[in-house]
Structure formats: C-alpha cells, structure tokens
Amino acid sequence: MVDVLVIGSGGAGMVAALSAKESGADVAVVSKSYPTRSQTCMAQGGINAAIGEDDSVQAHIDDTLKSSQGLGDASAIKKLCEEGVDAVAWLDKIGVPFSRSAECKVAQRRLGGASASRACYAQDYTGLKILHSLYDNCLKEQITFYNEYFLLELLSEGEGDEKRVCGAIFKEIKSGELKSIYAKSVILATGGYSRVYGHHSTNATGSTGDGIAVALRAGVVLSDMEFVQFHPTGLKNASILISESARGAGGYLLNGHGERFTDELQPRDALSRAIDEEISKSGAVFLDIRHLGENFIDHELPQERKLAKLYENVDPVSDIMPIKPVAHYTMGGIAVDARAESSLRGLFAVGECANHNVHGANRLGGNSLLELVVFGKEAGDSAAQYAQNVADITTSSAEQALKDTLEEIKSYTNEIDFYQKREALGELFYKSAGIKRNEKALLSALEQVKAMQHELPKMGVRDQSEVYNTNLLEFLEFQNLLALAEVMLVSMLERKESRGAHAREDMPQRDDQHYSGHTNALLHHQNVRVSFGYKGAQS
Ligand SMILES: Cc1cc2nc3c(=O)[nH]c(=O)nc-3n(C[C@H](O)[C@H](O)[C@H](O)COP(=O)(O)OP(=O)(O)OC[C@H]3O[C@@H](n4cnc5c(N)ncnc54)[C@H](O)[C@@H]3O)c2cc1C
C-alpha cells in the first residue's frame, strides 16, 4: 500500500507526485503510457506568468476572469496568477531550458486574449521540456513508476458519507494481468476528453477521458462538461496544432481571397467562430507566417515548420498553411474544491481531467500548463496531508468482478466494427456538438450516442489474447468516450444560452439570470443527471 497513488504521468501527475513526496508521502505514479509520451509533451506556445516589466499579476487575473465569461472562480484564478511567478521560477530551477531574451531573462511571447507578452517558452517545445525535466526530478526523488498500466476502476470502502477511495485496479498491458494498488489517497491526473471529436482534435489518441469516466462510474460529480475549447488553427487535413505563438509572433489569417478578415489575437472561442464563418463564406482560411522569415521561424517555431511540412506538405517559410478550428482543450472535468479534492473522500484530481474553475467558459492559452504546476502542487500536498490521517484499508479486492466483465467483453459478437463507430462518433460531435450547437442537432446526437451504447454487445474485440491487447484497451477507451459523450450532450442541452466556447445558434445570448452557475453531472441509477450548482465569479 502507498500513501499517495497518482494516476497519470503528464505534467499534472508528475508535479503532484513531486509535491506529495516533498510533503513526506510514499508515492507511486501509474499510467497507460510512458511518462515522456504523455500529451503534455505536445504543448508548444508556453506557460503564463506575469514576470515581464510591462505586465502585472492583476492584469493576468483580469484577462483570465474576462476570458472565463463569468464561470471562473475569482479566488482560484487569483491563486493561479499569483503563484504563476513562483511556478515559473521553480521550473527554471529544476532545469527547464526556457528560451532567453538578450538580457538572459526567461523569454515571453504574447498569446490570444492576453494584454501582455506573458507566455514563457522553450522554443515551441515548451511542454516537452517541462515534462522531461519533471521526469528527471521524479527519478532523482526515487518515485516509483508503473508504466503501461491501464486504469479500469477505483477501489473504495464504506457507504454513503463514509465512502472513501482506497486504491485502483489496473490492467497491466504487457501481461494482461489485473493489478490492484491500494492507497490511502488517490490523485487522478489522466488528462482530457477531446478525442470524443475523433480526428477533429489536436489531442493525443489517448485523451479519451478514462479517469473522468472511471470517476463518474464511482459516483463522483463532474462539472462544466459542455465546455470544449476549439483551437482556431489546426492544420486542415491532419488537425495538428499550429500554435498560437505563430500568431503571437505576427502571423496573419487570410481568407479564400487572400485577405485578412479578423483580429488574429482575440480569444480562441471568438476567433474559432470567425474562422468557421469565413470558411463557409470564402471556402478556406490560411495562416501566413512567411513574412516572419526563415531565420525567425527556424529559431522560434522550428516544430511548427516540421509539423506543417510533415502533415500538410506545406513549408510555412514559402507557403500559406490551410487551417480549420479543431477540438483542443476540455474545460470540464471532475469537480474539485480549493484543495483539489473531489466529491469522493480521498480522491483528488488535477490537470485537464479536473475542473478547478480557473478557465470557466474559455481557457486562455498558456494557463493550462500553469494550472498543472500551481494546482499539481496543491493536489500533491493535500493528498499527502489527507493520507497522514487515514487508517489502514480493509476493503476486499474487486478484481474478480472486473475479470468477469472483461471476459464478457471478449464474448461480444463482433458484428459491428467499433472503430467505425468511433469514427462516426467523432464526425457526429464535430458536426452537431462542435463550434455551433442547437437543440435539434444535440437531441439527435444524444439519441445516436445512446444507440451506440446499446450496440456495444454487438461490437467487442477481435483480439482474444492477454498480452499487449491494444484492441481491448481501445474498446475500453471507446466505452469511456461514449459515457462522457452522453454527459457532454446532456450538459450542452441543459445550458440554454451561449457563453464562451458553448455557442448555441438557437440561444445566442448569454443569460446570467439562469445560467451563471456550473453544470454538475452525476450518474443516478445509471442515468445522467445534470443540475446547476455553484456560481462562478461575475465578469
Ligand atoms: C497540441 C497541444 C498544444 C498545447 N499547447 C499548450 C500551451 O502552449 N500552453 C498551455 O498552457 N497548454 C497547452 N496545451 C494544453 C496542455 O498541454 C494540456 O492541457 C496539459 O498538458 C494536460 O496535462 P495533464 O497532465 O492534465 O494530462 P496529460 O499530459 O494528457 O497526461 C495524462 C496522463 O494520464 C495517463 N492516463 C490516461 N488515461 C489513463 C488510464 N486509463 N490508465 C492509466 N493512465 C492513464 C496518460 O498515460 C498520461 O500519462 C496544449 C495541448 C495540445 C494538445
């Protein structure tokens, strides 16, 4: 048994692990991939901190509150922005090789919705450098890692208000065996759920919201699941992200007639809608950074150039890049309090799988990496404190029941190819629950999602083996996506207004009188129930 079990080895999980260790806890980190391959390595643009001479913590707070469109929590945002300064200093200290200005200060660039150049960066490899530095430090601290362990369910003991988490069950991918890990506290850091949009997403294929779906099944409250950020500039065919840093550096957006048509640095929700409309009108939108010159591009944006060449066969030094808005970041997730604890005792959550109420209806670029550090520290410390006061666990293992469930999946009839259904789910969400939504399309999507859920026993897996059965894992991920798809659609239907990333064509106004609270979702007798709860800060 460990004191603190961290599930997920992205930026959030590793910061939480380091923090729990520093607070004196015995820590283990488990994930379905390898730490250096977690999605955090894809972050390019930077991490926000008001350290520039022309910036202030108050300006950072104001920008974040404004962007959250009334759904951000003022005290959580204050904490995020105030501690941002120390967070970047800490990353610098533990070895993140930030790019430097001529004066040798940490270099900063301006991202959309920011009133100053605030995003600290390491070329356009910011997430990768942060992730690798965190992993180095975890190894130095001798934190135990269990890699390629797939989370199946949480373990808990007690009933009602006494119920508390006491570990989790995993499938070890290499052997196919089930492994229970008992723990006094658990931190979920399993990332977001943007892959519900299939290939219309910038995210890693593993961003299937597993931890959120597992929490939902364990009776935990989720919140704001309707809010999904679309990034304005995904490459048109591959949906690979071209970072906001390209526009921050002076990149233009051109329509199908080669004309600029909008403010390139407005917040992502508004810009995505402007691009979507322009694509409908003039047939295409392009990102143009040719005027920045080859030297600048190779020095500041080397990854963007490589990605554009590799995935869209265009060289941004000489060509304009065809783009479209794509699903990028999920603002909703496991509802947590100021100490990062969920509605289940001893279960903490952090990073993209959690909702710390700092992004509200629209996240600012650079604030997610910052959230991982600020709230990762909080989650690690809280979980370690909690573990100090917990008696030993007495629950019996739930492995046999899970073994039976997995065996049952292997006996599903396989008449329907679930990969085709997964593709169809992505198309459905992009079309009906994407940048623009309306009741009719959402209701029809909900019906189709429920039909897919009923068809699951006609799907199933072809690979019956135990060892490295990725077919089975992808099926489990698809089941998780379908569970969250239902929660998202019900939440989108319940929020009968437009706010930030949630744009209802049939209800285009923001309605503070009825919808200034967060949606809270949970399973009640296997049905999704959504209600409106806590009200965010008004702005
Ligand atoms: C292309 C791209 C660029 C971005 N650029 C920026 C940027 O410049 N600035 C910024 O602030 N934000 C950026 N973001 C957002 C930011 O990178 C993410 O929100 C953040 O990295 C998420 O970190 P995380 O630790 O919560 O999750 P992740 O890094 O996604 O890690 C999740 C972990 O959970 C594990 N896991 C998941 N499911 C299971 C399971 N069933 N069992 C076991 N383990 C599991 C995974 O293996 C992984 O280790 C970007 C995102 C993308 C996709």
Side-chain angles (χ1 to χ4, degrees), residues 32 50 78 110 348 376 392 434 451 523:
K32 68 178 175 182
K78 187 163 176 278
R110 189 162 165 222
F348 299 79
D392 275 356
L523 274 190

Side-chain angles (χ1 to χ4, degrees), residues 196-198 200 421-434 436 441-450 452 482 485 489:
V196 75
Y197 292 86
H200 299 288
K421 290 287 170 184
R422 190 177 71 177
E423 189 71 22
L425 179 71
E427 293 303 326
L428 178 69
F429 259 68
Y430 192 62
K431 203 169 103 235
S432 306
K436 288 184 204 145
L442 291 171
L443 281 171
S444 158
L446 184 58
E447 211 173 291
Q448 293 176 65
V449 164
K450 285 190 169 170
M452 284 187 204
L482 276 182
L489 290 168

Side-chain angles (χ1 to χ4, degrees), residues 7-13 30-35 38-47 111 126 131 149-152 170 189-192 202-204 206-208 210-211 241 243 268 328-329 350-353 363-370 372 480:
I7 306 175
S9 59
V30 185
S31 73
K32 68 178 175 182
S33 61
Y34 281 84
S38 296
Q39 178 181 274
T40 299
C41 74
M42 295 167 84
Q44 303 162 350
I47 171 168
L111 301 181
T126 313
L131 197 67
Y149 271 47
F150 188 96
L151 169 68
L152 295 171
F170 303 87
T190 43
T202 60
N203 278 212
S207 294
T208 47
D210 300 344
L241 177 76
S243 163
R268 290 176 181 176
H328 179 59
Y329 183 87
V350 69
E352 200 170 330
C353 74
R363 175 181 75 97
L364 278 184
N367 270 356
S368 170
L369 289 178
L370 179 58
L372 307 185
N480 288 335

Side-chain angles (χ1 to χ4, degrees), residues 41 68 82 114 142 151 199 219 291 313 321 327 355 367 435 450 476 478 483 521 531:
C41 74
S68 78
E82 279 179 353
Q142 300 187 323
L151 169 68
H199 68 269
H291 53 289
N313 203 19
M321 296 173 269
N355 185 4
N367 270 356
I435 298 169
K450 285 190 169 170
L476 296 174
F478 177 57
S531 59

Side-chain angles (χ1 to χ4, degrees), residues 147-169:
N147 301 323
E148 296 197 320
Y149 271 47
F150 188 96
L151 169 68
L152 295 171
E153 300 296 349
L154 293 170
L155 286 164
S156 61
E157 64 173 14
E159 291 298 326
D161 289 350
E162 294 303 308
K163 188 171 166 185
R164 61 172 186 159
V165 75
C166 57
I169 306 188

